[in-house]
Amino acid sequence: MEKNKKFLLVGLFVLLVLIADQVIKIWVKNNYGPYSPSEPILGDWFVLNYTENPGMAFGTTLGGGLVGKLALSIFRILAIGGIIYYIIKQIKEGVKTEYLVALSFVLAGATGNLIDSALYDFIFTFDPCIPFNQLEGSGNFMSCTSFGVEHQVEARNTGFLLGNVVDMFQFDAEWPEGTPWLGGRQIFPAIWNLADGAITVGILMVVIRQKRYFNK
């Protein structure tokens, strides 16, 4: 495949994943609340369970508070820049198209979660009464009215690169009771989004298919 076609392929692939990721997040954020019950997607083992987190993939953080959040966002921006540079370099070197698809998954996923933290505080109304928006130790005290009673809560900081990441998918399945050390525990308790899934798929493709990608 020609280099220009590979650039176009990567761009279109990233754009499609980003659009799908953001459509799902905005729909969930507009239709569910912090106390909405989980809903089955595929039987009882794969459910929609809306939550928000201040971190990146699967709720990973770099500490709490303003400094940790900014450090995480800056790390994400640097990572995205590095991936873009690497993809451009790989296209020029004529790597296999499948490898570019794997890299596109990772780039799209990282960018999708960055969009949440960068823009969502400007798109959606901030409510300090929502548990997702409360952060102990932030020092940002705000008034909150619950059941007709006004009280102070410590809310997270808001603004560019400080927003939460919207998550909604969860595997609600447990290890069999007889499984040593794991019996009765959830197989994968993290709540995630399409962007997280894209990152995971891209990394797994590289790990599983590395001999094909790096046959030199």
Side-chain angles (χ1 to χ4, degrees), residues 6-58:
K6 288 185 176 180
F7 278 114
L8 181 60
L9 174 68
V10 170
L12 288 175
F13 199 89
V14 171
L15 182 61
L16 288 174
V17 175
L18 280 178
I19 291 174
D21 176 62
Q22 290 302 309
V23 167
I24 293 172
K25 288 175 176 175
I26 292 172
W27 180 81
V28 168
K29 195 167 175 64
N30 282 323
N31 289 277
Y32 292 85
Y35 304 107
S36 297
S38 60
E39 293 186 2
I41 298 176
L42 294 174
D44 295 329
W45 62 273
F46 184 46
V47 300
L48 189 154
N49 190 6
Y50 166 55
T51 188
E52 295 183 15
N53 75 74
M56 49 183 178
F58 306 112

Side-chain angles (χ1 to χ4, degrees), residues 54-74:
M56 49 183 178
F58 306 112
T60 307
T61 64
L62 292 179
L66 179 62
V67 175
K69 180 62 179 179
L70 285 175
L72 176 59
S73 295
I74 292 172

Side-chain angles (χ1 to χ4, degrees), residues 17 36 95 107 129 147 161 183 211:
V17 175
S36 297
V95 297
L107 175 60
C129 298
F147 303 104
L161 299 178
K211 289 185 178 180

Side-chain angles (χ1 to χ4, degrees), residues 198-212:
I199 294 171
T200 303
V201 169
I203 293 175
L204 286 176
M205 287 176 67
V206 174
V207 172
I208 295 172
R209 302 277 287 172
Q210 58 180 302
K211 289 185 178 180
R212 175 176 171 79

Side-chain angles (χ1 to χ4, degrees), residues 22-34 36 48 50-52 116 120-121 123-127 130 132-133 156 164-168:
Q22 290 302 309
V23 167
I24 293 172
K25 288 175 176 175
I26 292 172
W27 180 81
V28 168
K29 195 167 175 64
N30 282 323
N31 289 277
Y32 292 85
S36 297
L48 189 154
Y50 166 55
T51 188
E52 295 183 15
D116 293 25
Y120 274 23
D121 277 351
I123 298 174
F124 298 99
T125 302
F126 179 79
D127 184 356
I130 295 177
F132 307 146
N133 292 328
R156 67 175 177 82
N164 285 336
V165 174
V166 179
D167 293 330
M168 74 293 294

